[in-house]
């Protein structure tokens, strides 16, 4: 697949789309508590995105293995690594974690980000998983420099997480992003230094480590979307969209609305 380099004007449009994703995740954070269903979160997100003049990109996203994605966000609870479908039957409980992945299309360009939220009081072991996964994201971002390679990003994430005893899911990766939600190149969360696609100024990518507390092996759920850990231990997932520059990468998405 062809890699599209973005102009400064295009990156500005992507910044706006990603800012809206950050606002949406921040809005959802206000409602994440015991007793709330993931379906309710989806309804809040969809209305918020539409009210801000954008389209929820995930809804009706095609699936080569089954039907299109039926919701506006992914809500992956505990041992669900990614692509969890919101449901009236999934009620958040004290001590759960839920990874909320959100994408919007605004003015022709996509934004994409994910954040793992704790529900009430979370066990220290799970907090460690969340903190490690989030830190690995920023370690990967530090390697996203023009002249480096995709493998440098994955190597940084993999080494940091595995040294702490966590698993790296290999079946799911980050990706290029722009006019399409998923563009070339793929951005694995593992790899070797100096390998893979050369990073160039103007590339826009989404880095999204998906890290497990135990084994990295996963199953595809019967709905053909959700991916779950085989050992049923929890997983965390954080994601930023960024633009490659001549120096340090510019992070276009934000966690500020969540963490403020």
């Amino acid at each position: 697949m062809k890699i599209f380099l973005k102009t400064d004007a295009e990156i500005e449009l992507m910044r706006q789309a990603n800012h809206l994703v950050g606002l949406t995740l921040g809005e959802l954070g206000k409602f994440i508590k015991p007793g709330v269903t993931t379906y309710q979160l989806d309804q809040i997100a969809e209305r918020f995105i539409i009210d801000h003049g954008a389209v929820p990109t995930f809804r009706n996203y095609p699936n080569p293995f089954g039907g299109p994605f039926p919701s506006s966000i992914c809500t992956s609870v505990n041992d669900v690594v990614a692509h969890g479908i919101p449901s009236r039957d999934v009620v958040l409980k004290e001590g759960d974690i839920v990874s909320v992945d959100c994408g919007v299309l605004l003015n022709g360009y996509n934004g994409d980000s994910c954040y793992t939220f704790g529900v009430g009081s979370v066990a220290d072991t799970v907090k460690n998983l969340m903190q490690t996964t989030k830190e690995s994201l920023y370690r990967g971002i530090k390697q996203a420099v023009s002249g480096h390679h995709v493998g440098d990003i994955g190597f940084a994430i993999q080494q940091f997480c595995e040294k702490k005893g966590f698993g790296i899911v290999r079946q799911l990766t980050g990706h290029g992003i722009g006019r399409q939600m998923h563009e070339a190149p793929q951005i694995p969360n593992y790899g070797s230094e100096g390998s893979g696609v050369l990073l160039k100024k103007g590339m826009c990518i989404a880095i999204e480590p998906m890290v497990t507390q135990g084994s990295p092996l996963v199953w595809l759920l019967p709905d053909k979307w959700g991916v779950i850990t085989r050992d049923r231990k929890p997983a965390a997932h954080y994601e930023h969209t960024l633009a490659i520059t001549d120096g340090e990468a510019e992070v276009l998405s934000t966690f500020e609305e969540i963490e403020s």
Side-chain angles (χ1 to χ4, degrees):
M1 293 176 63
K2 184 176 181 181
I3 296 174
F4 297 98
L5 302 182
K6 279 71 177 181
T7 65
D8 289 346
E10 289 176 308
I11 290 172
E12 174 58 31
L13 291 172
M14 292 191 63
R15 186 182 297 108
Q16 294 172 19
N18 280 283
H19 180 65
L20 177 54
V21 172
L23 290 175
T24 305
L25 291 173
E27 181 70 10
L28 290 172
K30 302 174 185 176
F31 297 91
I32 293 176
K33 58 185 178 181
V36 172
T37 68
T38 54
Y39 174 81
Q40 288 174 297
L41 296 179
D42 182 62
Q43 295 300 295
I44 293 166
E46 181 172 285
R47 178 45 53 195
F48 190 87
I49 293 166
I50 292 171
D51 284 350
H52 284 77
V55 175
T57 322
F58 294 172
R59 182 171 288 281
N60 295 319
Y61 197 87
N63 183 350
F65 305 109
F69 195 75
S71 305
S72 294
I73 55 173
C74 300
T75 51
S76 304
V77 180
N78 296 331
D79 52 0
V80 181
V81 180
H83 305 158
I85 297 175
S87 170
R88 291 182 174 89
D89 298 326
V90 178
V91 182
L92 298 179
K93 307 184 304 296
E94 183 82 15
D96 283 346
I97 58 173
V98 55
S99 298
V100 181
D101 198 350
C102 178
V104 309
L105 179 68
L106 179 67
N107 297 323
Y109 287 86
N110 283 279
D112 189 14
S113 184
C114 183
Y115 195 91
T116 300
F117 295 85
V119 183
S121 180
V122 175
D124 288 343
T125 54
V126 179
K127 286 181 183 177
N128 187 25
L129 168 67
M130 295 165 67
Q131 291 166 356
T132 299
T133 306
K134 184 179 173 186
E135 173 65 21
S136 77
L137 168 62
Y138 288 104
R139 287 176 178 252
I141 290 170
K142 285 183 179 179
Q143 297 301 317
V145 177
S146 180
H148 283 197
H149 291 77
V150 165
D152 296 317
I153 297 171
F155 180 83
I157 293 170
Q158 179 183 10
Q159 292 299 305
F160 181 71
C161 293
E162 290 185 345
K163 282 182 179 178
K164 291 180 174 288
F166 297 115
I168 296 290
V169 175
R170 284 165 165 73
Q171 291 86 347
L172 301 168
T173 72
H175 51 91
I177 182 170
R179 286 190 174 274
Q180 302 297 320
M181 173 60 70
H182 295 107
E183 299 181 353
Q186 289 189 339
I187 312 292
N189 297 304
Y190 61 93
S192 56
E193 293 177 299
S195 66
V197 172
L198 179 69
L199 299 174
K200 298 180 180 181
K201 180 181 178 181
M203 290 175 64
C204 289
I205 60 175
I207 301 176
E208 48 180 322
M210 287 157 274
V211 181
T212 62
Q213 192 176 61
S215 168
L217 300 178
V218 295
W219 297 112
L220 184 65
L221 289 172
D223 62 26
K224 304 298 183 183
W225 278 105
V227 176
I228 192 168
T229 59
R230 292 193 190 186
D231 61 12
R232 306 305 298 270
K233 291 183 178 180
H237 178 192
Y238 292 83
E239 176 183 18
H240 270 317
T241 293
L242 53 123
I244 306 298
T245 70
D246 286 329
E248 184 176 325
E250 180 183 358
V251 179
L252 302 177
S253 49
T254 177
F255 294 155
E256 290 181 6
E257 299 297 330
I258 301 167
E259 298 176 346
S260 62

